[in-house]
PDB file of all heavy atoms in Angstrom:
ATOM      1  N   MET A  17      26.578 -44.131 -20.328  1.00 98.00           N
ATOM      2  CA  MET A  17      27.512 -44.627 -19.326  1.00 98.00           C
ATOM      3  C   MET A  17      27.197 -46.083 -19.051  1.00 98.00           C
ATOM      4  O   MET A  17      26.106 -46.420 -18.622  1.00 98.00           O
ATOM      5  CB  MET A  17      27.339 -43.804 -18.042  1.00 98.00           C
ATOM      6  CG  MET A  17      27.534 -42.302 -18.248  1.00 98.00           C
ATOM      7  SD  MET A  17      27.478 -41.387 -16.692  1.00 98.00           S
ATOM      8  CE  MET A  17      25.761 -41.660 -16.186  1.00 98.00           C
ATOM      9  N   ASN A  18      28.167 -46.907 -19.309  1.00 98.00           N
ATOM     10  CA  ASN A  18      28.036 -48.355 -19.095  1.00 98.00           C
ATOM     11  C   ASN A  18      29.041 -48.823 -18.064  1.00 98.00           C
ATOM     12  O   ASN A  18      30.018 -48.147 -17.766  1.00 98.00           O
ATOM     13  CB  ASN A  18      28.265 -49.118 -20.414  1.00 98.00           C
ATOM     14  CG  ASN A  18      27.287 -48.728 -21.482  1.00 98.00           C
ATOM     15  OD1 ASN A  18      26.059 -48.655 -21.244  1.00 98.00           O
ATOM     16  ND2 ASN A  18      27.769 -48.472 -22.706  1.00 98.00           N
ATOM     17  N   SER A  19      28.823 -50.005 -17.547  1.00 98.00           N
ATOM     18  CA  SER A  19      29.682 -50.628 -16.542  1.00 98.00           C
ATOM     19  C   SER A  19      30.041 -49.646 -15.418  1.00 98.00           C
ATOM     20  O   SER A  19      31.175 -49.424 -15.060  1.00 98.00           O
ATOM     21  CB  SER A  19      30.995 -51.115 -17.219  1.00 98.00           C
ATOM     22  OG  SER A  19      30.746 -52.057 -18.240  1.00 98.00           O
ATOM     23  N   LEU A  20      29.004 -49.019 -14.879  1.00 98.00           N
ATOM     24  CA  LEU A  20      29.189 -47.979 -13.896  1.00 98.00           C
ATOM     25  C   LEU A  20      29.803 -48.529 -12.608  1.00 98.00           C
ATOM     26  O   LEU A  20      29.501 -49.654 -12.219  1.00 98.00           O
ATOM     27  CB  LEU A  20      27.875 -47.311 -13.617  1.00 98.00           C
ATOM     28  CG  LEU A  20      27.411 -46.312 -14.692  1.00 98.00           C
ATOM     29  CD1 LEU A  20      25.942 -45.991 -14.553  1.00 98.00           C
ATOM     30  CD2 LEU A  20      28.248 -45.009 -14.591  1.00 98.00           C
ATOM     31  N   LYS A  21      30.618 -47.696 -11.985  1.00 98.00           N
ATOM     32  CA  LYS A  21      31.302 -48.035 -10.771  1.00 98.00           C
ATOM     33  C   LYS A  21      30.910 -47.057  -9.678  1.00 98.00           C
ATOM     34  O   LYS A  21      30.562 -45.927  -9.961  1.00 98.00           O
ATOM     35  CB  LYS A  21      32.847 -47.981 -10.980  1.00 98.00           C
ATOM     36  CG  LYS A  21      33.343 -48.827 -12.119  1.00 98.00           C
ATOM     37  CD  LYS A  21      34.835 -48.582 -12.342  1.00 98.00           C
ATOM     38  CE  LYS A  21      35.355 -49.429 -13.478  1.00 98.00           C
ATOM     39  NZ  LYS A  21      36.814 -49.178 -13.707  1.00 98.00           N
ATOM     40  N   PRO A  22      31.034 -47.443  -8.413  1.00 98.00           N
ATOM     41  CA  PRO A  22      30.759 -46.502  -7.321  1.00 98.00           C
ATOM     42  C   PRO A  22      31.500 -45.189  -7.437  1.00 98.00           C
ATOM     43  O   PRO A  22      30.975 -44.125  -7.047  1.00 98.00           O
ATOM     44  CB  PRO A  22      31.107 -47.294  -6.069  1.00 98.00           C
ATOM     45  CG  PRO A  22      30.873 -48.727  -6.442  1.00 98.00           C
ATOM     46  CD  PRO A  22      31.325 -48.801  -7.917  1.00 98.00           C
ATOM     47  N   GLU A  23      32.747 -45.237  -7.913  1.00 97.00           N
ATOM     48  CA  GLU A  23      33.521 -44.026  -8.036  1.00 97.00           C
ATOM     49  C   GLU A  23      33.003 -43.088  -9.132  1.00 97.00           C
ATOM     50  O   GLU A  23      33.519 -41.968  -9.274  1.00 97.00           O
ATOM     51  CB  GLU A  23      35.002 -44.367  -8.279  1.00 97.00           C
ATOM     52  CG  GLU A  23      35.242 -45.329  -9.396  1.00 97.00           C
ATOM     53  CD  GLU A  23      35.419 -46.767  -8.912  1.00 97.00           C
ATOM     54  OE1 GLU A  23      34.668 -47.220  -8.021  1.00 97.00           O
ATOM     55  OE2 GLU A  23      36.364 -47.460  -9.397  1.00 97.00           O
ATOM     56  N   ASP A  24      32.035 -43.525  -9.912  1.00 98.00           N
ATOM     57  CA  ASP A  24      31.408 -42.627 -10.869  1.00 98.00           C
ATOM     58  C   ASP A  24      30.325 -41.760 -10.253  1.00 98.00           C
ATOM     59  O   ASP A  24      29.774 -40.892 -10.914  1.00 98.00           O
ATOM     60  CB  ASP A  24      30.758 -43.437 -12.002  1.00 98.00           C
ATOM     61  CG  ASP A  24      31.770 -44.181 -12.864  1.00 98.00           C
ATOM     62  OD1 ASP A  24      32.827 -43.599 -13.190  1.00 98.00           O
ATOM     63  OD2 ASP A  24      31.493 -45.345 -13.206  1.00 98.00           O
ATOM     64  N   THR A  25      30.027 -42.002  -8.986  1.00 98.00           N
ATOM     65  CA  THR A  25      28.994 -41.223  -8.277  1.00 98.00           C
ATOM     66  C   THR A  25      29.438 -39.752  -8.229  1.00 98.00           C
ATOM     67  O   THR A  25      30.488 -39.415  -7.732  1.00 98.00           O
ATOM     68  CB  THR A  25      28.790 -41.797  -6.895  1.00 98.00           C
ATOM     69  OG1 THR A  25      28.269 -43.108  -6.961  1.00 98.00           O
ATOM     70  CG2 THR A  25      27.819 -40.911  -6.095  1.00 98.00           C
ATOM     71  N   ALA A  26      28.563 -38.875  -8.705  1.00 98.00           N
ATOM     72  CA  ALA A  26      28.847 -37.470  -8.752  1.00 98.00           C
ATOM     73  C   ALA A  26      27.627 -36.727  -9.340  1.00 98.00           C
ATOM     74  O   ALA A  26      26.717 -37.388  -9.868  1.00 98.00           O
ATOM     75  CB  ALA A  26      30.070 -37.186  -9.587  1.00 98.00           C
ATOM     76  N   VAL A  27      27.668 -35.424  -9.301  1.00 98.00           N
ATOM     77  CA  VAL A  27      26.786 -34.599 -10.064  1.00 98.00           C
ATOM     78  C   VAL A  27      27.442 -34.389 -11.454  1.00 98.00           C
ATOM     79  O   VAL A  27      28.600 -33.989 -11.517  1.00 98.00           O
ATOM     80  CB  VAL A  27      26.480 -33.254  -9.400  1.00 98.00           C
ATOM     81  CG1 VAL A  27      25.590 -32.410 -10.320  1.00 98.00           C
ATOM     82  CG2 VAL A  27      25.798 -33.465  -8.074  1.00 98.00           C
ATOM     83  N   TYR A  28      26.708 -34.670 -12.504  1.00 98.00           N
ATOM     84  CA  TYR A  28      27.227 -34.541 -13.836  1.00 98.00           C
ATOM     85  C   TYR A  28      26.674 -33.304 -14.506  1.00 98.00           C
ATOM     86  O   TYR A  28      25.469 -33.027 -14.435  1.00 98.00           O
ATOM     87  CB  TYR A  28      26.852 -35.784 -14.679  1.00 98.00           C
ATOM     88  CG  TYR A  28      27.700 -37.013 -14.348  1.00 98.00           C
ATOM     89  CD1 TYR A  28      27.611 -37.633 -13.132  1.00 98.00           C
ATOM     90  CD2 TYR A  28      28.667 -37.433 -15.264  1.00 98.00           C
ATOM     91  CE1 TYR A  28      28.383 -38.720 -12.833  1.00 98.00           C
ATOM     92  CE2 TYR A  28      29.468 -38.536 -14.948  1.00 98.00           C
ATOM     93  CZ  TYR A  28      29.320 -39.172 -13.755  1.00 98.00           C
ATOM     94  OH  TYR A  28      30.129 -40.266 -13.454  1.00 98.00           O
ATOM     95  N   TYR A  29      27.590 -32.551 -15.117  1.00 98.00           N
ATOM     96  CA  TYR A  29      27.258 -31.281 -15.725  1.00 98.00           C
ATOM     97  C   TYR A  29      27.599 -31.318 -17.213  1.00 98.00           C
ATOM     98  O   TYR A  29      28.688 -31.834 -17.579  1.00 98.00           O
ATOM     99  CB  TYR A  29      28.037 -30.129 -15.124  1.00 98.00           C
ATOM    100  CG  TYR A  29      27.816 -29.940 -13.628  1.00 98.00           C
ATOM    101  CD1 TYR A  29      28.563 -30.581 -12.704  1.00 98.00           C
ATOM    102  CD2 TYR A  29      26.824 -29.039 -13.181  1.00 98.00           C
ATOM    103  CE1 TYR A  29      28.371 -30.410 -11.337  1.00 98.00           C
ATOM    104  CE2 TYR A  29      26.636 -28.833 -11.830  1.00 98.00           C
ATOM    105  CZ  TYR A  29      27.385 -29.521 -10.924  1.00 98.00           C
ATOM    106  OH  TYR A  29      27.197 -29.323  -9.565  1.00 98.00           O
ATOM    107  N   CYS A  30      26.753 -30.740 -18.051  1.00 98.00           N
ATOM    108  CA  CYS A  30      27.189 -30.482 -19.405  1.00 98.00           C
ATOM    109  C   CYS A  30      27.582 -29.033 -19.480  1.00 98.00           C
ATOM    110  O   CYS A  30      27.181 -28.202 -18.695  1.00 98.00           O
ATOM    111  CB  CYS A  30      26.078 -30.769 -20.413  1.00 98.00           C
ATOM    112  SG  CYS A  30      24.590 -29.776 -20.308  1.00 98.00           S
ATOM    113  N   ALA A  31      28.438 -28.730 -20.451  1.00 98.00           N
ATOM    114  CA  ALA A  31      29.028 -27.391 -20.536  1.00 98.00           C
ATOM    115  C   ALA A  31      29.404 -27.077 -21.967  1.00 98.00           C
ATOM    116  O   ALA A  31      29.632 -27.978 -22.800  1.00 98.00           O
ATOM    117  CB  ALA A  31      30.302 -27.311 -19.647  1.00 98.00           C
ATOM    118  N   GLU A  32      29.491 -25.775 -22.243  1.00 97.00           N
ATOM    119  CA  GLU A  32      29.845 -25.265 -23.595  1.00 97.00           C
ATOM    120  C   GLU A  32      30.901 -24.166 -23.415  1.00 97.00           C
ATOM    121  O   GLU A  32      30.788 -23.324 -22.531  1.00 97.00           O
ATOM    122  CB  GLU A  32      28.610 -24.724 -24.260  1.00 97.00           C
ATOM    123  CG  GLU A  32      28.856 -24.297 -25.715  1.00 97.00           C
ATOM    124  CD  GLU A  32      27.566 -23.837 -26.367  1.00 97.00           C
ATOM    125  OE1 GLU A  32      26.771 -24.685 -26.745  1.00 97.00           O
ATOM    126  OE2 GLU A  32      27.356 -22.613 -26.479  1.00 97.00           O
ATOM    127  N   PRO A  33      31.937 -24.137 -24.256  1.00 96.00           N
ATOM    128  CA  PRO A  33      32.945 -23.109 -24.168  1.00 96.00           C
ATOM    129  C   PRO A  33      32.450 -21.792 -24.810  1.00 96.00           C
ATOM    130  O   PRO A  33      31.411 -21.787 -25.491  1.00 96.00           O
ATOM    131  CB  PRO A  33      34.102 -23.658 -25.011  1.00 96.00           C
ATOM    132  CG  PRO A  33      33.436 -24.566 -25.987  1.00 96.00           C
ATOM    133  CD  PRO A  33      32.256 -25.192 -25.265  1.00 96.00           C
ATOM    134  N   GLN A  34      33.156 -20.735 -24.548  1.00 93.00           N
ATOM    135  CA  GLN A  34      32.764 -19.444 -25.047  1.00 93.00           C
ATOM    136  C   GLN A  34      32.941 -19.353 -26.562  1.00 93.00           C
ATOM    137  O   GLN A  34      32.114 -18.743 -27.257  1.00 93.00           O
ATOM    138  CB  GLN A  34      33.560 -18.335 -24.376  1.00 93.00           C
ATOM    139  CG  GLN A  34      33.204 -16.921 -24.817  1.00 93.00           C
ATOM    140  CD  GLN A  34      31.812 -16.531 -24.466  1.00 93.00           C
ATOM    141  OE1 GLN A  34      31.349 -16.803 -23.342  1.00 93.00           O
ATOM    142  NE2 GLN A  34      31.125 -15.867 -25.383  1.00 93.00           N
ATOM    143  N   ARG A  35      34.008 -19.891 -27.064  1.00 94.00           N
ATOM    144  CA  ARG A  35      34.341 -19.773 -28.480  1.00 94.00           C
ATOM    145  C   ARG A  35      33.782 -20.918 -29.317  1.00 94.00           C
ATOM    146  O   ARG A  35      33.793 -22.066 -28.885  1.00 94.00           O
ATOM    147  CB  ARG A  35      35.880 -19.708 -28.658  1.00 94.00           C
ATOM    148  CG  ARG A  35      36.540 -18.521 -27.941  1.00 94.00           C
ATOM    149  CD  ARG A  35      37.979 -18.395 -28.336  1.00 94.00           C
ATOM    150  NE  ARG A  35      38.758 -19.551 -27.979  1.00 94.00           N
ATOM    151  CZ  ARG A  35      39.297 -19.751 -26.782  1.00 94.00           C
ATOM    152  NH1 ARG A  35      39.099 -18.884 -25.807  1.00 94.00           N
ATOM    153  NH2 ARG A  35      40.019 -20.838 -26.561  1.00 94.00           N
ATOM    154  N   PRO A  36      33.321 -20.630 -30.508  1.00 94.00           N
ATOM    155  CA  PRO A  36      32.855 -21.645 -31.381  1.00 94.00           C
ATOM    156  C   PRO A  36      33.988 -22.418 -32.010  1.00 94.00           C
ATOM    157  O   PRO A  36      35.148 -21.991 -31.965  1.00 94.00           O
ATOM    158  CB  PRO A  36      32.078 -20.898 -32.468  1.00 94.00           C
ATOM    159  CG  PRO A  36      32.760 -19.552 -32.510  1.00 94.00           C
ATOM    160  CD  PRO A  36      33.154 -19.256 -31.106  1.00 94.00           C
ATOM    161  N   TYR A  37      33.712 -23.582 -32.563  1.00 95.00           N
ATOM    162  CA  TYR A  37      34.693 -24.414 -33.226  1.00 95.00           C
ATOM    163  C   TYR A  37      35.919 -24.693 -32.345  1.00 95.00           C
ATOM    164  O   TYR A  37      37.067 -24.557 -32.771  1.00 95.00           O
ATOM    165  CB  TYR A  37      35.100 -23.772 -34.559  1.00 95.00           C
ATOM    166  CG  TYR A  37      33.932 -23.438 -35.446  1.00 95.00           C
ATOM    167  CD1 TYR A  37      33.557 -22.123 -35.680  1.00 95.00           C
ATOM    168  CD2 TYR A  37      33.131 -24.442 -35.954  1.00 95.00           C
ATOM    169  CE1 TYR A  37      32.472 -21.814 -36.424  1.00 95.00           C
ATOM    170  CE2 TYR A  37      32.022 -24.149 -36.766  1.00 95.00           C
ATOM    171  CZ  TYR A  37      31.695 -22.829 -36.970  1.00 95.00           C
ATOM    172  OH  TYR A  37      30.597 -22.506 -37.739  1.00 95.00           O
ATOM    173  N   TYR A  38      35.615 -25.064 -31.138  1.00 94.00           N
ATOM    174  CA  TYR A  38      36.655 -25.259 -30.107  1.00 94.00           C
ATOM    175  C   TYR A  38      36.158 -26.322 -29.145  1.00 94.00           C
ATOM    176  O   TYR A  38      35.036 -26.273 -28.639  1.00 94.00           O
ATOM    177  CB  TYR A  38      36.891 -23.936 -29.398  1.00 94.00           C
ATOM    178  CG  TYR A  38      37.888 -23.965 -28.285  1.00 94.00           C
ATOM    179  CD1 TYR A  38      39.173 -24.454 -28.498  1.00 94.00           C
ATOM    180  CD2 TYR A  38      37.573 -23.442 -27.045  1.00 94.00           C
ATOM    181  CE1 TYR A  38      40.112 -24.457 -27.479  1.00 94.00           C
ATOM    182  CE2 TYR A  38      38.496 -23.425 -26.016  1.00 94.00           C
ATOM    183  CZ  TYR A  38      39.772 -23.929 -26.238  1.00 94.00           C
ATOM    184  OH  TYR A  38      40.695 -23.903 -25.227  1.00 94.00           O
ATOM    185  N   THR A  39      37.023 -27.297 -28.889  1.00 97.00           N
ATOM    186  CA  THR A  39      36.611 -28.398 -28.026  1.00 97.00           C
ATOM    187  C   THR A  39      37.698 -28.638 -26.936  1.00 97.00           C
ATOM    188  O   THR A  39      38.514 -29.515 -27.039  1.00 97.00           O
ATOM    189  CB  THR A  39      36.412 -29.704 -28.829  1.00 97.00           C
ATOM    190  OG1 THR A  39      35.663 -29.423 -30.012  1.00 97.00           O
ATOM    191  CG2 THR A  39      35.725 -30.759 -28.006  1.00 97.00           C
ATOM    192  N   PRO A  40      37.657 -27.819 -25.891  1.00 97.00           N
ATOM    193  CA  PRO A  40      38.625 -27.987 -24.831  1.00 97.00           C
ATOM    194  C   PRO A  40      38.274 -29.148 -23.910  1.00 97.00           C
ATOM    195  O   PRO A  40      37.166 -29.693 -23.932  1.00 97.00           O
ATOM    196  CB  PRO A  40      38.552 -26.650 -24.061  1.00 97.00           C
ATOM    197  CG  PRO A  40      37.109 -26.233 -24.298  1.00 97.00           C
ATOM    198  CD  PRO A  40      36.796 -26.677 -25.693  1.00 97.00           C
ATOM    199  N   ILE A  41      39.238 -29.527 -23.068  1.00 97.00           N
ATOM    200  CA  ILE A  41      39.024 -30.600 -22.121  1.00 97.00           C
ATOM    201  C   ILE A  41      39.290 -30.177 -20.702  1.00 97.00           C
ATOM    202  O   ILE A  41      39.254 -31.031 -19.778  1.00 97.00           O
ATOM    203  CB  ILE A  41      39.879 -31.880 -22.477  1.00 97.00           C
ATOM    204  CG1 ILE A  41      41.376 -31.544 -22.411  1.00 97.00           C
ATOM    205  CG2 ILE A  41      39.494 -32.384 -23.836  1.00 97.00           C
ATOM    206  CD1 ILE A  41      42.248 -32.773 -22.554  1.00 97.00           C
ATOM    207  N   VAL A  42      39.548 -28.931 -20.458  1.00 96.00           N
ATOM    208  CA  VAL A  42      39.801 -28.412 -19.108  1.00 96.00           C
ATOM    209  C   VAL A  42      38.615 -27.543 -18.678  1.00 96.00           C
ATOM    210  O   VAL A  42      38.017 -26.812 -19.457  1.00 96.00           O
ATOM    211  CB  VAL A  42      41.127 -27.602 -18.998  1.00 96.00           C
ATOM    212  CG1 VAL A  42      42.311 -28.516 -19.312  1.00 96.00           C
ATOM    213  CG2 VAL A  42      41.112 -26.447 -20.001  1.00 96.00           C
ATOM    214  N   VAL A  43      38.287 -27.625 -17.423  1.00 96.00           N
ATOM    215  CA  VAL A  43      37.114 -26.967 -16.899  1.00 96.00           C
ATOM    216  C   VAL A  43      37.166 -25.474 -17.072  1.00 96.00           C
ATOM    217  O   VAL A  43      36.125 -24.794 -17.293  1.00 96.00           O
ATOM    218  CB  VAL A  43      36.894 -27.359 -15.423  1.00 96.00           C
ATOM    219  CG1 VAL A  43      38.018 -26.855 -14.563  1.00 96.00           C
ATOM    220  CG2 VAL A  43      35.551 -26.865 -14.916  1.00 96.00           C
ATOM    221  N   GLU A  44      38.372 -24.885 -16.991  1.00 96.00           N
ATOM    222  CA  GLU A  44      38.514 -23.453 -17.076  1.00 96.00           C
ATOM    223  C   GLU A  44      38.130 -22.864 -18.416  1.00 96.00           C
ATOM    224  O   GLU A  44      37.849 -21.659 -18.485  1.00 96.00           O
ATOM    225  CB  GLU A  44      39.971 -23.028 -16.745  1.00 96.00           C
ATOM    226  CG  GLU A  44      40.347 -23.262 -15.306  1.00 96.00           C
ATOM    227  CD  GLU A  44      40.752 -24.695 -14.999  1.00 96.00           C
ATOM    228  OE1 GLU A  44      40.819 -25.498 -15.950  1.00 96.00           O
ATOM    229  OE2 GLU A  44      41.005 -24.985 -13.821  1.00 96.00           O
ATOM    230  N   ASP A  45      38.093 -23.695 -19.468  1.00 97.00           N
ATOM    231  CA  ASP A  45      37.785 -23.197 -20.782  1.00 97.00           C
ATOM    232  C   ASP A  45      36.280 -23.271 -21.135  1.00 97.00           C
ATOM    233  O   ASP A  45      35.902 -22.906 -22.202  1.00 97.00           O
ATOM    234  CB  ASP A  45      38.561 -23.974 -21.840  1.00 97.00           C
ATOM    235  CG  ASP A  45      40.054 -23.617 -21.799  1.00 97.00           C
ATOM    236  OD1 ASP A  45      40.397 -22.563 -21.298  1.00 97.00           O
ATOM    237  OD2 ASP A  45      40.857 -24.423 -22.320  1.00 97.00           O
TER     238      ASP A  45
END
């Protein structure tokens, strides 16, 4: 993360989907 802004303030989480070979972009997946 470069050029950080105050609005970047948050808890950051990494996550993995249930299915392999799949790269979703929505939290529900």
Side-chain angles (χ1 to χ4, degrees):
M17 305 184 295
N18 300 313
S19 301
L20 283 163
K21 305 174 181 179
E23 50 263 44
D24 295 318
T25 296
V27 176
Y28 282 70
Y29 301 88
C30 65
E32 186 176 283
Q34 180 66 41
R35 300 189 298 277
Y37 308 110
Y38 179 53
T39 314
I41 62 172
V42 296
V43 65
E44 291 82 5
D45 289 340

